[in-house]
Amino acid sequence: MSIPRPTGLAVAAIRSRPSALAGTFAAFVLTGTVVTASVAMTVSASSVPPGADAASRAQLTELSDMGIAFANMMAYLAIFVIGQVLALAVAQRARESALLRAIGAEPKQVRRMVAVEAIGSALAALPLGYALGALLGRAWLHVMATSGMAPAGIPFRLGWQSPVTAASVLLVCAYLGSLLAAWRASRIRPAAALAASLVQGGARTGPVRATASLVALAGAVVMTVAAVVGPAEEAGELIPLVVLGYLAAIGLAGPWIGRCTIALCAPVLRAFGGAPGELAEAGTRARARRLSAAITPLTLVTAFGVIKLSSFTGTGEGAGDWAEIFGTLLYVGFAALVAANTLVMLVLERLREFSLLRVIGAERRQIVWTVATEGAIVTVAGVGSGIVVGCAVMVPLGAMVGSPLSGVSAWAWPAVAVCGAVLVGLSSGVPLLRMLRVRPMDGLTRHSI
């Protein structure tokens, strides 16, 4: 039996699960938008207005450095987050990949299929990301000019650097993300893959991932110690790298974090949750590996929130630094949208499961309560991990950069938790309501909506 070429396999996979493509496409669009806007800041800062004084030149230098820093940080985050989204998209069609392996597809064909899908999504997302990035960059520069952070009248320029950098970042993220996402699907034995795919997200996590998580955690700790013993002026520059180290560890340890959270919540669910609580416990326990894709971006949102709250409340000047506020909104907004996108993908893939529950007599409100309970578990895991990361960074380093964690108001902690719960609730509830409009018998024959 002949196996279709990787391009044909990628097209067929996209047609069978369009929701997975939409999730990957959205992540690429967001990445292209932020990278384009950040590089445009640097390009715009390269044009010095005639008669500019020393203060204006210093502002332009800071603007250029800020654009470079944001672009670099966004590239690191994009590789990490897009790898998670692609891994989820590949996991959602684990059974199809296993069947391909069973009928003779080679591991390299599976890897090429995922790479073609990822690169195709990146190329399709590039024009939209570039256009949105141009709008975002223009608004960003306007806000900075009107607030006195940039010289008045500075022209906004995209240059050739913005599209080239955005295209390069998207293609690199697509390629590296596809390698990470297809690694397990291409190496697992066909029989084992078919058995694991019978339960969504039921694959066990291996020792390689555990070792990588410990290595990432050790690296984050080493960077924290280096920042503590080093000069105070360099500590602020190391904080983003320390955060990335902890986030890498959280992302790799996501399945174990999910299982520990389920174990902590299980007594409450059994005592007060009723049938929806039992279903939620069983569902999250079986899908712990897949839920880690939602826990990681939620952790990212919370960690950045805690760190920036400490920065804004710890010093009086931080509250008026519009550049820092705008950059924080970029990072938090990116992570929040990716988290929402991931949660939507996780809900949409369960159309058959919910349809089967309705066929055997489950009511709509029971399914809603089940998903709400699962969302609470994800919120506890993601927000809790984010608070731990934020504290792990700011407790040793906050005082050095003039932003001690003790300066955060007491109301900020529950506010962070409420924001996380609202994000999870909306991202899970909106697609669920759409799924419940599908007739149960129709839902049994479809992959997703």
Side-chain angles (χ1 to χ4, degrees):
M1 179 181 297
S2 62
I3 305 298
R5 299 175 63 181
T7 302
L9 292 174
V11 173
I14 290 172
R15 289 177 176 174
S16 65
R17 294 183 183 272
S19 60
L21 171 65
T24 306
F25 178 79
F28 280 123
V29 169
L30 293 172
T31 301
T33 299
V34 179
V35 170
T36 298
S38 300
V39 175
M41 292 297 99
T42 300
V43 175
S44 300
S46 63
S47 59
V48 181
D53 55 12
S56 297
R57 293 178 182 274
Q59 287 181 334
L60 290 175
T61 301
E62 293 179 0
L63 182 64
S64 178
D65 294 340
M66 180 189 65
I68 294 174
F70 284 165
N72 290 335
M73 184 68 174
M74 194 63 214
Y76 295 137
L77 287 177
I79 293 175
F80 182 69
V81 172
I82 287 177
Q84 293 266 350
V85 176
L86 283 172
L88 176 59
V90 172
Q92 287 183 334
R93 55 173 188 266
R95 186 167 182 81
E96 291 91 328
S97 300
L99 287 173
L100 287 174
R101 293 291 313 282
I103 63 176
E106 299 179 2
K108 64 180 180 181
Q109 288 179 298
V110 176
R111 290 194 294 268
R112 288 176 183 172
M113 176 188 71
V114 178
V116 168
E117 178 184 339
I119 293 174
S121 300
L123 292 176
L126 180 59
L128 181 57
Y130 177 73
L132 293 176
L135 295 175
L136 176 63
R138 190 177 298 275
W140 188 356
L141 185 61
H142 176 73
V143 169
M144 295 194 64
T146 54
S147 60
M149 300 294 296
I154 178 174
F156 175 74
R157 295 173 54 198
L158 287 167
W160 60 266
Q161 297 92 336
S162 296
V164 170
T165 304
S168 301
V169 170
L170 289 186
L171 291 177
V172 170
C173 289
Y175 182 70
L176 295 180
S178 67
L179 290 181
L180 296 174
W183 176 257
R184 188 177 187 277
S186 63
R187 290 178 59 87
I188 190 172
R189 292 182 302 173
L194 283 171
S197 66
L198 293 177
V199 178
Q200 292 182 350
R204 304 298 297 178
T205 307
V208 175
R209 183 165 183 166
T211 303
S213 175
L214 294 176
V215 170
L217 179 60
V221 172
V222 169
M223 285 189 291
T224 303
V225 174
V228 170
V229 300
E233 58 271 12
E234 296 181 3
E237 299 178 0
L238 288 176
I239 284 180
L241 296 178
V242 175
V243 174
L244 285 177
Y246 280 118
L247 288 176
I250 293 292
L252 293 167
W256 292 284
I257 293 174
R259 293 189 183 103
C260 290
T261 305
I262 296 165
L264 292 174
C265 297
V268 178
L269 296 177
R270 293 168 186 167
F272 306 103
E278 294 180 4
L279 286 173
E281 179 191 353
T284 50
R285 194 182 299 277
R287 301 165 60 247
R289 182 187 181 98
R290 199 164 295 185
L291 286 175
S292 64
I295 293 173
T296 302
L298 188 59
T299 301
L300 175 60
V301 173
T302 308
F304 269 116
V306 171
I307 291 171
K308 292 307 177 182
L309 280 173
S310 176
S311 176
F312 295 152
T313 58
T315 61
E317 297 178 358
D321 191 348
W322 286 103
E324 186 174 1
I325 293 174
F326 202 91
T328 301
L329 292 177
L330 285 182
Y331 293 145
V332 173
F334 173 78
L337 289 173
V338 170
N341 170 54
T342 304
L343 289 164
V344 169
M345 292 172 64
L346 287 170
V347 174
L348 289 178
E349 72 169 344
R350 304 176 68 185
L351 177 60
R352 288 181 176 178
E353 175 189 341
F354 293 150
S355 298
L356 180 59
L357 288 174
R358 292 173 64 190
V359 167
I360 63 176
E363 299 178 1
R364 292 187 179 185
R365 61 179 180 84
Q366 291 178 308
I367 295 177
V368 171
W369 276 111
T370 299
V371 174
T373 306
E374 292 178 353
I377 295 174
V378 172
T379 301
V380 171
V383 173
S385 300
I387 290 176
V388 170
V389 170
C391 292
V393 174
M394 297 310 294
V395 167
L397 301 179
M400 296 183 63
V401 297
S403 303
L405 197 63
S406 58
V408 178
S409 302
W411 59 264
W413 302 103
V416 168
V418 169
C419 290
V422 171
L423 174 63
V424 174
L426 291 177
S427 304
S428 302
V430 172
L432 176 63
L433 294 177
R434 183 184 174 190
M435 291 170 65
L436 292 178
R437 297 192 186 101
V438 179
R439 295 193 308 168
M441 297 306 297
D442 292 339
L444 292 174
T445 61
R446 296 162 61 179
H447 288 290
S448 63
I449 56 176

